[in-house]
Amino acid sequence: MKVTAIASSNIAFIKYWGKADDALRLPLNSSISMNLSGAYTTTTVEFSPTRESDTVTLLGGTFSQKEEARTIQALERIRKRTGLAHLARVVTHNTFPKGIGAAASASGFAALTLAGFAAAGATLSQKEQTVFARLGSGSACRSIPDGFVIWDKGTSSDDSCAYTLYPPMHWDLRDIVVIVDSHMKKVSSTEGMEGAGTSPLLQRRLAAIPDRIKRCSDALRTKDFQALGDVIEEDCLDMHAVMQSQSPPLYYWSTATEKVVASVRGWRREQIPVYFTIDAGPNVHLICEAKDEQVVIQKAREVDGAKEIIVNKPAQGAHLVDKNLF
Ligand code: DP6
């Protein structure tokens, strides 16, 4: 059967950094995110008895050997779980450039999980879908459920899963992504977080997370924007402090990143309520409410080094589409 699925990427408000188990992608801490309407992956999977090898195609780009191998491992897990022996053709497309933080692996493995199991004729609970997406890329489990999502770190592979805290329409927030130029060598999140344990700041970060998870979910529940922004920035800066104090150190910010961060602080002094968060890359996500979208976009465009702006609303989770694409 041939099936197409769409999954949004997500931005973490409370970040995942560091694994308790590398192979199972069990995280050291729970995390909270919002699905992004403007950055998504569309993936078609087709299993066939006559196919002699798995093929993986990224439209408008190329997969590295590592990425291809990781995708085929995900197909192997689908075959093992469903008992299907057929090989597959996978065709995928992103609406955004590969390498903008964790975005492509999150939406990619979420879409692959949904399309893959449906194409294999299996129906999984949403909880189990999040577990399989997590095995492909940790943050991918957060792209399966709708809206504002928590990934509970759990105690084993079966209960390290994600679920919706609030649906997309709960709060009309915006994530305005400022894409900046970077000539830095990119270290992937997977590689980067392997060194998390070498940071003397990691244990202090992990001790602070449960309180941040509570503050973030409370702020979402009560729609307290300032409380949400405070905890988002606090956790972002804390994760980057861990990254920067790892051995070898990871510095993901570019000069343009620093300019955007300084500008955000300036805009707040001008009474524009906007906060920043940054993943494993130089691009800056500006979080604001819908009412401030236009002014934030305008300000962001004026920052030296801002190359492109992607505007996101809270989005639904991964879903199948009626009409097969590719
Ligand atoms: C900084 O989910 O890409 O974006 O599990 O190794 O695939 P793997 O890592 P990944 O890491 C995302 C890290 C982050 C923070 C976050 O999204 O929570």
Side-chain angles (χ1 to χ4, degrees):
M1 233 214 296
K2 180 171 167 178
V3 176
T4 300
I6 291 182
S8 289
S9 71
N10 65 76
I11 181 65
F13 291 167
I14 306 296
K15 312 282 190 191
Y16 148 52
W17 192 251
K19 294 183 179 76
D21 184 312
D22 285 342
L24 292 175
R25 289 193 146 77
L26 294 176
L28 286 172
N29 63 276
S30 298
S31 51
I32 293 180
S33 61
M34 178 180 103
N35 285 333
L36 304 179
S37 63
Y40 58 88
T41 299
T42 306
T43 297
T44 295
V45 179
E46 182 177 25
F47 286 102
S48 151
T50 55
R51 189 158 280 285
E52 288 174 357
S53 63
D54 288 317
T55 59
V56 178
T57 309
L58 174 65
L59 298 176
T62 44
F63 278 125
S64 68
Q65 271 184 345
K66 255 192 198 168
E67 289 166 330
E68 189 180 290
R70 216 164 136 179
T71 307
I72 292 173
Q73 281 165 17
L75 293 171
E76 291 292 358
R77 283 191 292 271
I78 294 170
R79 283 190 278 260
K80 196 165 169 224
R81 168 69 174 75
T82 59
L84 186 77
H86 301 166
L87 297 168
R89 167 182 171 268
V90 177
V91 183
T92 190
H93 176 259
N94 296 324
T95 60
F96 52 92
K98 199 160 64 116
I100 64 157
S105 72
S107 54
F109 282 101
L112 180 67
T113 302
L114 237 75
F117 277 104
T123 313
L124 264 58
S125 68
Q126 186 178 79
K127 179 178 174 183
E128 207 185 343
Q129 287 170 350
T130 72
V131 166
F132 273 94
R134 188 203 77 225
L135 291 165
S137 176
S139 54
C141 71
R142 298 188 311 235
S143 283
I144 298 273
D146 287 337
F148 301 91
V149 175
I150 184 163
W151 171 12
D152 183 352
K153 73 182 169 109
T155 54
S156 68
S157 188
D158 294 340
D159 68 357
S160 184
C161 57
Y163 55 90
T164 295
L165 283 176
Y166 298 100
M169 67 288 272
H170 170 71
W171 195 358
D172 203 11
L173 293 181
R174 294 290 179 271
D175 172 10
I176 297 162
V177 192
V178 185
I179 310 287
V180 298
D181 213 13
S182 164
H183 300 293
M184 290 181 303
K185 185 183 172 295
K186 171 138 169 68
V187 178
S188 73
S189 313
T190 308
E191 264 175 84
M193 71 173 82
E194 278 167 14
T198 62
S199 165
L201 304 180
L202 180 71
Q203 289 312 319
R204 198 217 48 193
R205 166 172 172 73
L206 294 177
I209 292 278
D211 176 60
R212 286 190 201 141
I213 291 280
K214 184 172 182 322
R215 281 163 57 206
C216 184
S217 41
D218 284 352
L220 287 171
R221 179 172 48 83
T222 58
K223 300 183 195 167
D224 182 339
F225 186 66
Q226 193 182 329
L228 180 73
D230 282 345
V231 77
I232 287 177
E233 279 191 9
E234 180 182 313
D235 191 63
C236 164
L237 292 172
D238 189 33
M239 179 185 72
H240 284 272
V242 169
M243 291 164 157
Q244 289 162 22
S245 56
Q246 288 181 199
S247 165
L250 283 174
Y251 195 79
Y252 283 110
W253 297 25
S254 68
T255 312
T257 311
E258 284 162 10
K259 275 188 192 151
V260 180
V261 166
S263 302
V264 170
R265 291 178 170 139
W267 301 334
R268 280 212 296 272
R269 284 193 293 275
E270 293 169 30
Q271 310 305 323
I272 302 168
V274 54
Y275 292 83
F276 64 84
T277 187
I278 301 162
D279 282 340
N283 304 310
V284 185
H285 295 249
L286 306 178
I287 310 297
C288 67
E289 291 183 284
K291 66 178 174 58
D292 300 309
E293 173 184 340
Q294 289 312 322
V295 63
V296 172
I297 291 175
Q298 188 201 325
K299 292 275 187 193
R301 286 211 175 104
E302 286 165 10
V303 181
D304 197 19
K307 301 280 177 218
E308 199 191 329
I309 309 272
I310 302 175
V311 180
N312 297 285
K313 301 178 181 186
Q316 67 177 125
H319 53 280
L320 300 178
V321 290
D322 290 340
K323 198 171 163 294
N324 283 329
L325 300 170
F326 326 134

